[in-house]
Every structure is written in structure tokens, then in C-alpha cells.
Amino acid sequence: TEVKAGAAGAEQLAADIEDAMTALQFQDAVNQQLDHAGIALREARDALESGDDSRTGQLLGRLRARATMQSERQILNQVAVQDPAPAGDSAPGSIELF
């Protein structure tokens, strides 16, 4: 009947809105990661061009402090094996939210 058709349409609309919101959240997370990567690359370029080795260590420290996502912290920890992050940064079962 018309009521069932209306209810089905409303359910489909709600599902479509939920899908759109999920896509927007994913897009926002990707944009944040790209922004962070762009900043990090510019800073790395500047540090390398300066020829000052101490700037490299300072750069890694700043990047680690700004890392907001677990995946960013893991990459920085791999780059700076000689200066690992605190143990809590890569705790098993941690959840990355965006």
C-alpha cells in the first residue's frame, strides 16, 4: 500500500543519507592526511636544503607532536627508529578515529 511504499522510501532515503555522511567523513580524513603530508614534505625539504642535521631531529619531533592519526605515528616511528615514540602510541587494539 501507499504507507508501506512511503516507509520503504523513507528507509532508503535514510540509508542514502548515512552513506553520504560516511563518504564525507572519509573524504575529510583523506584531506587531513594529505594536508599533513604536504606540510611534512615542505618542512623536510627545508630541513634538507639547510644542511643542518639538528633540524632533521627537530623536524621529526614536531611531526610526531602533530601526528593526529595512528597511521601517521607509525610512519614517523619507522623513520625515527633511533628515537621511538612512547609505548602507548602503538598499543595493540588501539582505534584510529577520523
Side-chain angles (χ1 to χ4, degrees), residues 65-88:
R66 285 196 319 241
T68 58
M69 303 183 86
Q70 181 67 16
S71 56
E72 291 172 323
R73 289 189 295 273
Q74 288 173 343
I75 290 169
L76 289 170
N77 288 340
Q78 290 171 1
V79 169
V81 172
Q82 71 279 3
D83 184 24

Side-chain angles (χ1 to χ4, degrees), residues 37-98:
I39 291 167
L41 288 172
R42 285 188 294 277
E43 289 182 356
R45 179 198 61 213
D46 294 344
L48 291 171
E49 287 176 352
S50 77
D52 183 358
D53 290 338
S54 67
R55 280 187 72 180
T56 304
Q58 293 169 355
L59 171 64
L60 286 172
R62 284 194 312 273
L63 293 175
R64 186 177 290 120
R66 285 196 319 241
T68 58
M69 303 183 86
Q70 181 67 16
S71 56
E72 291 172 323
R73 289 189 295 273
Q74 288 173 343
I75 290 169
L76 289 170
N77 288 340
Q78 290 171 1
V79 169
V81 172
Q82 71 279 3
D83 184 24
D89 281 355
S90 58
S94 61
I95 298 173
E96 181 174 318
L97 302 174
F98 53 89

Side-chain angles (χ1 to χ4, degrees), residues 9-61:
E11 287 179 24
Q12 183 60 48
L13 180 59
D16 291 345
I17 291 171
E18 185 176 336
D19 289 345
M21 292 299 296
T22 300
L24 287 172
Q25 288 174 336
F26 178 75
Q27 182 180 5
D28 183 52
V30 169
N31 285 336
Q32 287 178 29
Q33 287 180 327
L34 290 174
D35 287 344
H36 290 170
I39 291 167
L41 288 172
R42 285 188 294 277
E43 289 182 356
R45 179 198 61 213
D46 294 344
L48 291 171
E49 287 176 352
S50 77
D52 183 358
D53 290 338
S54 67
R55 280 187 72 180
T56 304
Q58 293 169 355
L59 171 64
L60 286 172

